[in-house]
Amino acid sequence: DTAVSQTPKYLVTQMGNDKSIKCEQNLGHDTMYWYKQDSKKFLKIMFSYNNKELIINETVPNRFSPKSPDKAHLNLHINSLELGDSAVYFCASSRKDIPYEQYFGPGTRLTVT
Amino acid sequence: AQSVTQLGSHVSVSEGALVLLRCNYSSSVPPYLFWYVQYPNQGLQLLLKYTTGATLVKGINGFEAEFKKSETSFHLTKPSAHMSDAAEYFCAVTPSGSARQLTFGSGTQLTVLP
């Protein structure tokens, strides 16, 4: 009964490929997020969805496209992968009324070769 | 705009010693402040938070932090380190209770020596 789960845990792929990372939360939260953690452990928000609606879209290349089929799922699709996309991607969720208390998934380590 | 500075990317303490991890913030409005912990190969977990009220806040695993407005600081402490405390610690800030965007510091890796 994992609260926030992500698949896959590890993803190794070549430049130019398209890949997706899936996220699911079973906490009943309305809001979900994608964060990118670079090699220096710096963590930066990419997107946030509230009840399937995009509410935060930071300066992220449009090769990255989040999709929320329902409020329990937020997937991240990445087109034309580049070396600089290598990072750990974290999904998180929160209640709508306590957005600052975020619950994080275990992360997906993406390596682009 | 908000920002967070964590002094010391690596801190080592002996088991049983005091843990002190430093965090300073910059915010144009009274901030909400947080400490998150990341154990190896895991996601971040909320350790403690300051929203309003008492400036000394207690979290899980014996950690506490004190909000000092005059010093714009929110340092994390634990009186006695345990081997299981070894992890990466992140300080974060958000401008209000309704804001969804957390701004994280660069993290401090805590090593506990036997």
Side-chain angles (χ1 to χ4, degrees), chain A residues 65-84:
Chain A
S65 54
K67 285 188 171 50
S68 181
D70 56 61
K71 74 173 195 176
H73 296 84
L74 181 61
N75 304 324
L76 184 65
H77 188 77
I78 316 170
N79 289 329
S80 304
L81 278 154
E82 300 177 357
L83 291 177

Side-chain angles (χ1 to χ4, degrees), chain A residues 1 6 10 12 18 23 49-50 58 96 103:
Chain A
D1 45 329
Q6 295 178 229
Y10 299 95
V12 181
D18 303 338
C23 177
Y49 268 73
N50 185 56
E58 287 297 295
K96 179 180 171 182
Y103 292 76

Side-chain angles (χ1 to χ4, degrees), chain A residues 9-10 31 33 35 37 40-45 48-50 55-56 58 88 90 94 96-107 109, chain B residues 4 32-34 36 38 40-46 49-51 87-88 90 94 96-109:
Chain A
K9 190 170 176 65
Y10 299 95
T31 309
Y33 312 79
Y35 285 87
Q37 186 177 48
K40 295 185 178 179
K41 298 279 182 88
F42 184 65
L43 199 67
K44 186 171 169 56
I45 192 167
S48 175
Y49 268 73
N50 185 56
I55 52 172
I56 292 176
E58 287 297 295
V88 181
F90 286 101
S94 72
K96 179 180 171 182
D97 58 335
I98 321 176
Y100 48 82
E101 282 196 22
Q102 298 181 13
Y103 292 76
F104 284 75
R109 182 174 294 276
Chain B
V4 175
Y32 283 31
L33 295 157
F34 312 88
Y36 278 81
Q38 183 181 21
N41 299 314
Q42 294 186 28
L44 280 72
Q45 178 183 357
L46 182 63
K49 64 180 184 286
Y50 168 78
T51 55
E88 188 89 23
F90 292 91
T94 192
S96 73
S98 61
R100 295 179 176 84
Q101 193 152 345
L102 288 172
T103 299
F104 285 88
S106 54
T108 298
Q109 177 70 47

Side-chain angles (χ1 to χ4, degrees), chain A residues 13-20 36 61-65 76-86 89 110-113:
Chain A
T13 188
Q14 292 183 329
M15 281 194 303
N17 285 348
D18 303 338
K19 290 293 179 185
S20 292
K36 179 180 180 180
N62 58 15
R63 298 182 294 103
F64 290 79
S65 54
L76 184 65
H77 188 77
I78 316 170
N79 289 329
S80 304
L81 278 154
E82 300 177 357
L83 291 177
D85 297 332
S86 296
Y89 292 85
L110 171 66
T111 303
V112 183
T113 61

